[in-house]
Amino acid sequence: SPSRSSVIIVGAGISGITAAKVLAENGIEDLVILEASDRIGGRIRKENFGGVSVELGAGWIAGVGGKESNPVWELAAKSGLRTCFSDYSNARYNIYDRSGKIFPSGIAADSYKRAVDSAIQKLKNQDTDHRGDVNKITEPPSSPKTPIELAIDFILHDFEMAEVEPISTYVDFGEREFLVADERGYEHLLYRMAEDFLFTSEGVILDSRLKLNKVVRELQHSRSGVTVITEDGCIFESDYVILSVSIGVLQSELIAFNPPLPRWKLEAIEKCDVMVYTKIFLKFPDRFWPSLPEKEFFVYAHERRGYYTFWQHMENAYPGSHILVVTLTNEESKRVEAQSDEETLKEAMAVLRDMFGPNIPDAIDIFVPHWWNNRFQRGSYSNYPIISNPQVVHNIQAPVGRIFFTGEHTSERFNGYVHGGYLSGIDTSKELLEEMRKENERKSENQTLL
Ligand code: FAD
């Protein structure tokens, strides 16, 4: 018969590992972590590319230098992670048109200001719409049309919403962002955490409570416990489950719940948007782009919104690496995931030749992550509609019987970030510990009654 543990944690990303660590520190040692892939880290994942470590998922520690200290920044400091300061705001002054000319900074600054004002206006209108106050609705702001307007709209909405509305990450932790540039990868933080409570040897986790390549397909839950069934036919039993899979996975059919999740839960899960964010890495034999730090981010203005718009050179992080990164989002990400890497390379090279001329060398290597088509991710991170009811995230987070939910998407203040995943892991495990304490109390009361 299957062995029974106190808690099963599904998923070994930052939230799952953090939750397990807090439980272990509080005396819950009989836990099992089931991870679908062959590694820990989830959306924190490095890849050796072009001679260096590049981050396919989370790349930045966002929110540093403010009134409160970002806990992930502290973890990074403790484990000596190498980071570089990033200044996104330069991007708007490095906008190339299709003939390779950089828009004069005055024009770029004006367009940027107009875009910010218009986004703020749009938000206000949505807010009045939301409250049903028809009298106050003003003219809708005009939508972006020219390539530079489209490029700025893309930067603003897909990268810099902090300029439009207060985002807790930057309000609480500060406005600075640091790129992780460490050969051991961002994931080194997770390995350091795992070492504190799992048996490891020479950086390898050997603890049998961590089970890799275990794809959870079904959760049977009742008042007395949870049975977890994996794709390879294994059965695990526990008193409680902490489910840390992404919002995209919750929206998919990967995991069946028996009995099914209640309607309030399903409705909340449907209401959260999934953002797809894809960093495409290109390796060159030589550098042909300006490598100054203030040219780290540059932008391509095309008549199609989001078409290879946002670029970064890696010379600040890894001088001499000759690597460029271009970021695509949402529909463009999905489109690129569906085509071959050769096709993507051709498109990217045509864009670079528009910006830097026909004589630049071809890339010698390309890496295209597939976050959307990865059935253990189904997207990059959660994105709650700006004017959304706080009840939605509460319902996404709320336990259903013995199943507890964690992960970046359950963080009310920091969803979409590594620190959101980390803090949610702490919150969920504390909530579960409290529930376990109450259950023990109830049990001992019943025993005294008998
Ligand atoms: P995950 O890391 O997704 O962990 C969940 C785990 O569950 C995964 O390991 C998965 O394999 C596993 N799993 C899924 N289904 C099953 C199943 N059925 N059975 C068993 N296991 C399963 N954040 C930042 O702070 N800064 C950034 O710069 C940044 N950039 C990002 C860029 C990209 C491209 C992406 C994808 C994300 C980025 N993020 C960034 C967000 C950040 O990576 C996430 O918020 C965070 O890592 C999520 O952690 P998590 O534990 O909630 O989920």
Side-chain angles (χ1 to χ4, degrees), residues 9-18 33-45 55-63 70 72 88 169-170 177-180 186 190 211 213-218 228-231 243-247 249-250 252 254-255 275-279 327-328 369 371 374-377 379-382 406-410 414-422 424-425:
I9 293 130
V10 181
I14 183 107
S15 64
I17 291 290
T18 306
I33 307 170
L34 301 176
E35 165 57 45
S37 73
D38 59 2
R39 43 181 294 286
I40 70 167
R43 283 171 273 171
I44 300 179
R45 160 161 213 169
E55 300 293 339
L56 306 185
W60 281 270
I61 300 172
N70 182 333
V72 170
Y88 273 152
T169 286
Y170 304 101
E177 304 209 22
F178 286 81
L179 183 76
V180 175
Y186 210 141
L190 270 102
K211 300 192 190 300
N213 303 305
K214 289 290 174 207
V215 183
V216 170
R217 295 304 305 266
E218 189 174 346
V228 179
I229 303 167
T230 59
E231 201 156 70
L243 187 57
S244 81
V245 303
S246 69
I247 187 74
V249 171
L250 290 175
S252 79
L254 187 63
I255 303 176
M275 175 93 180
V276 194
Y277 178 106
T278 311
K279 292 186 260 183
T327 300
L328 307 186
W371 293 107
N374 179 339
R375 68 185 181 124
F376 308 144
Q377 292 302 342
S380 298
Y381 44 83
S382 66
T406 198
E408 56 82 8
H409 53 285
T410 69
F414 307 116
N415 78 284
Y417 293 97
V418 171
H419 49 274
Y422 175 75
S424 75

Side-chain angles (χ1 to χ4, degrees), residues 312-354:
Q312 179 187 9
H313 72 61
M314 301 265 307
E315 300 301 313
N316 287 356
Y318 293 116
S321 59
H322 305 334
I323 293 173
L324 288 178
V325 190
V326 59
T327 300
L328 307 186
T329 61
N330 299 332
E331 293 317 307
E332 283 299 309
S333 292
K334 293 178 189 173
R335 187 182 68 78
V336 158
E337 276 194 30
Q339 70 187 13
S340 71
D341 288 357
E342 291 81 74
E343 202 62 42
T344 305
L345 180 62
K346 238 195 261 162
E347 290 176 357
M349 283 312 305
V351 164
L352 285 170
R353 292 203 159 102
D354 279 353

Side-chain angles (χ1 to χ4, degrees), residues 95-98 103 147-149 151 299-304 307-309 355:
I95 305 180
Y96 291 80
D97 70 12
R98 290 191 68 178
F103 284 94
I148 186 171
E149 284 169 355
V299 171
Y300 173 66
H302 186 269
E303 33 302 330
R304 184 149 119 212
Y307 188 77
Y308 298 89
T309 308
M355 286 192 279

Side-chain angles (χ1 to χ4, degrees), residues 6 9 27 43 47 50 56 61 91 93 113 142 155 182 201 253 263 268-269 326 352 358 384 397 407 450:
S6 292
I9 293 130
R43 283 171 273 171
E47 180 74 33
L56 306 185
I61 300 172
Y93 303 113
K113 191 176 173 319
S142 62
I155 313 175
D182 193 298
S201 173
E253 311 265 275
R263 181 184 283 266
I269 289 170
V326 59
L352 285 170
Y384 289 91
Q397 190 269 339
L450 291 171

Side-chain angles (χ1 to χ4, degrees), residues 23-247:
L23 292 176
E25 285 168 353
N26 283 277
I28 311 296
E29 305 265 358
D30 66 328
L31 50 85
V32 168
I33 307 170
L34 301 176
E35 165 57 45
S37 73
D38 59 2
R39 43 181 294 286
I40 70 167
R43 283 171 273 171
I44 300 179
R45 160 161 213 169
K46 72 148 199 261
E47 180 74 33
N48 297 323
F49 176 82
V52 299
S53 275
V54 297
E55 300 293 339
L56 306 185
W60 281 270
I61 300 172
V64 177
K67 58 183 197 283
E68 273 177 55
S69 174
N70 182 333
V72 170
W73 182 243
E74 283 175 17
L75 289 176
K78 234 191 277 169
S79 55
L81 205 69
R82 179 173 169 260
T83 57
C84 303
F85 174 63
S86 277
D87 189 356
Y88 273 152
S89 67
N90 286 321
R92 74 189 74 158
Y93 303 113
N94 301 321
I95 305 180
Y96 291 80
D97 70 12
R98 290 191 68 178
S99 68
K101 283 204 287 291
I102 295 185
F103 284 94
S105 59
I107 291 184
D110 280 356
S111 303
Y112 199 83
K113 191 176 173 319
R114 268 202 308 279
V116 172
D117 291 346
S118 138
I120 292 173
Q121 189 55 50
K122 214 157 132 196
L123 252 187
K124 279 192 191 145
N125 287 356
Q126 272 178 26
D127 198 25
T128 38
D129 265 354
H130 190 67
R131 295 197 193 124
D133 190 349
V134 275
N135 298 327
K136 280 201 189 136
I137 295 181
T138 46
E139 278 297 296
S142 62
S143 49
K145 288 186 194 71
T146 63
I148 186 171
E149 284 169 355
L150 288 165
I152 284 175
D153 186 71
F154 178 78
I155 313 175
L156 194 62
H157 286 94
D158 295 34
F159 293 90
E160 300 198 84
M161 272 314 265
E163 305 241 345
V164 176
E165 51 145 12
I167 292 179
S168 312
T169 286
Y170 304 101
V171 175
D172 291 13
F173 297 142
E175 288 178 3
R176 289 156 74 87
E177 304 209 22
F178 286 81
L179 183 76
V180 175
D182 193 298
E183 289 296 341
R184 299 164 297 178
Y186 210 141
E187 64 192 48
H188 178 59
L189 293 191
L190 270 102
Y191 283 94
R192 283 298 297 270
M193 260 203 273
E195 265 171 18
D196 289 345
F197 73 103
L198 293 173
F199 174 64
T200 56
S201 173
E202 290 170 6
V204 184
I205 304 171
L206 298 174
D207 201 301
S208 62
R209 292 172 297 172
L210 171 68
K211 300 192 190 300
L212 301 175
N213 303 305
K214 289 290 174 207
V215 183
V216 170
R217 295 304 305 266
E218 189 174 346
L219 297 178
Q220 297 173 350
H221 55 118
S222 70
R223 290 182 62 174
S224 57
V226 190
T227 303
V228 179
I229 303 167
T230 59
E231 201 156 70
D232 58 0
C234 292
I235 298 174
F236 298 88
E237 290 190 333
S238 63
D239 298 342
Y240 293 98
V241 160
I242 292 183
L243 187 57
S244 81
V245 303
S246 69
I247 187 74

